[in-house]
Amino acid sequence: MKLFLDTANLEEIREGVRWGVLRGVTTNPSLIAKEKKGFLPLVREILSMVDGDVSIETASDDTDVLVRQGHEIAKMADNAVVKVALTPNGLGATRQLANDGIKVNVTLAFTPAQAILAAEAGAYIVSPFVGRLDDVATDGLRLISDICEIFTVQGYDTQVLAASLRHPIHVTEAARLGADIATMPFKVFETLVRHPLTDSGFKRFTDDWEQAKPHLGELPPSMQEG
Ligand code: E4P
């Protein structure tokens, strides 16, 4: 399962890239607005920083306008993916964009039926929202499970991107259920690496090493540096 950051914050993306595990980024109008920066320079910077798909959301519910926006977004870079909301007009635009060879991420999917529509419209990615379903007392992970099962049975190529993830269990369960991609805020991304036993274990190894070092004889040069 590929790990994406759900952010438009350059510092967070830089840190994710530094970890060597970041495979892409998703943005949305709310995340872009939060950064208080010019849209084009911000988006171009994100596209250049990430070696992987970057989803950029359209801003219309008119099929023709969506298609024009999709073409403009796709032209920005090879890794630009056009994000379109799962509405009837959005599906129509997805079909046209897919026919033109443009990668579309159909977003705001809350039912398996909607995900089937996205796949049938030729979406490159469909984004079911886990956390927002949990918020309304509906099992968000069950949606991921249902969509993954249906897509396997049907042989759909559309990638399932588990979105709106709120904690590390969402991420590990999305992986277990067969999601192709998980996108998450940086604070969730960070929780994936942290464990108190890792920290205390690393500290003990480091302390023992420092104590033993003077008695270990010749060391490879880089191990002398510590
Ligand atoms: C997906 O691409 C969306 O940007 C995102 O995951 C929404 O999540 P939220 O429910 O945390 O806003």
Side-chain angles (χ1 to χ4, degrees):
M1 185 178 74
K2 290 175 272 190
L3 302 176
F4 283 23
L5 276 174
D6 195 29
T7 185
N9 183 280
L10 299 177
E11 292 312 310
E12 293 178 350
I13 295 169
R14 199 164 290 122
E15 185 63 6
V17 168
R18 201 173 68 83
W19 289 16
V21 294
L22 188 68
R23 304 279 298 278
V25 165
T26 49
T27 65
N28 64 39
S30 312
L31 294 169
I32 296 276
K34 219 167 101 185
E35 296 309 309
K36 303 195 184 335
K37 289 186 172 164
F39 175 73
L40 282 175
L42 178 60
V43 160
R44 285 199 183 111
E45 178 91 35
I46 297 171
L47 286 163
S48 71
M49 285 168 78
V50 181
D51 185 15
D53 290 333
V54 176
S55 290
I56 298 151
E57 194 147 344
T58 47
S60 174
D61 191 32
D62 177 286
T63 306
D64 293 338
V65 177
L66 283 170
V67 170
R68 285 206 301 278
Q69 290 181 358
H71 276 275
E72 285 174 1
I73 291 169
K75 255 187 238 143
M76 286 182 193
D78 288 347
N79 58 338
V81 174
V82 178
K83 219 168 163 189
V84 175
L86 210 159
T87 63
N89 291 339
L91 289 171
T94 299
R95 171 43 65 207
Q96 288 189 45
L97 289 166
N99 288 350
D100 293 340
I102 288 173
K103 293 174 176 172
V104 180
N105 172 354
V106 176
T107 190
L108 290 165
F110 291 95
T111 67
Q114 289 180 316
I116 291 170
L117 289 171
E120 288 292 336
Y124 171 66
I125 291 172
V126 63
S127 294
F129 279 40
V130 175
R132 292 194 196 184
L133 272 179
D134 287 357
D135 289 345
V136 293
T138 304
D139 186 350
L141 285 168
R142 175 67 198 266
L143 175 64
I144 301 297
S145 160
D146 287 345
I147 295 173
C148 289
E149 185 184 346
I150 292 166
F151 279 26
T152 302
V153 169
Q154 294 298 323
Y156 287 141
D157 290 335
T158 304
Q159 297 176 83
V160 179
L161 183 155
S164 185
L165 303 181
R166 303 272 165 80
H167 50 71
I169 308 293
H170 272 161
V171 180
T172 51
E173 284 305 303
R176 188 198 313 282
L177 296 168
D180 299 288
I181 304 163
T183 193
M184 66 208 80
F186 188 76
K187 66 174 190 299
V188 176
F189 191 73
E190 259 191 323
T191 64
L192 300 182
V193 75
R194 301 272 170 232
H195 196 284
L197 290 176
T198 305
D199 294 344
S200 59
F202 183 61
K203 183 173 181 329
R204 190 188 305 167
F205 287 154
T206 306
D207 292 347
D208 289 349
W209 174 258
E210 285 307 319
Q211 267 194 353
K213 213 165 154 185
H215 318 291
L216 293 176
E218 193 189 353
L219 293 172
S222 62
M223 294 194 82
Q224 285 163 22
E225 286 169 25

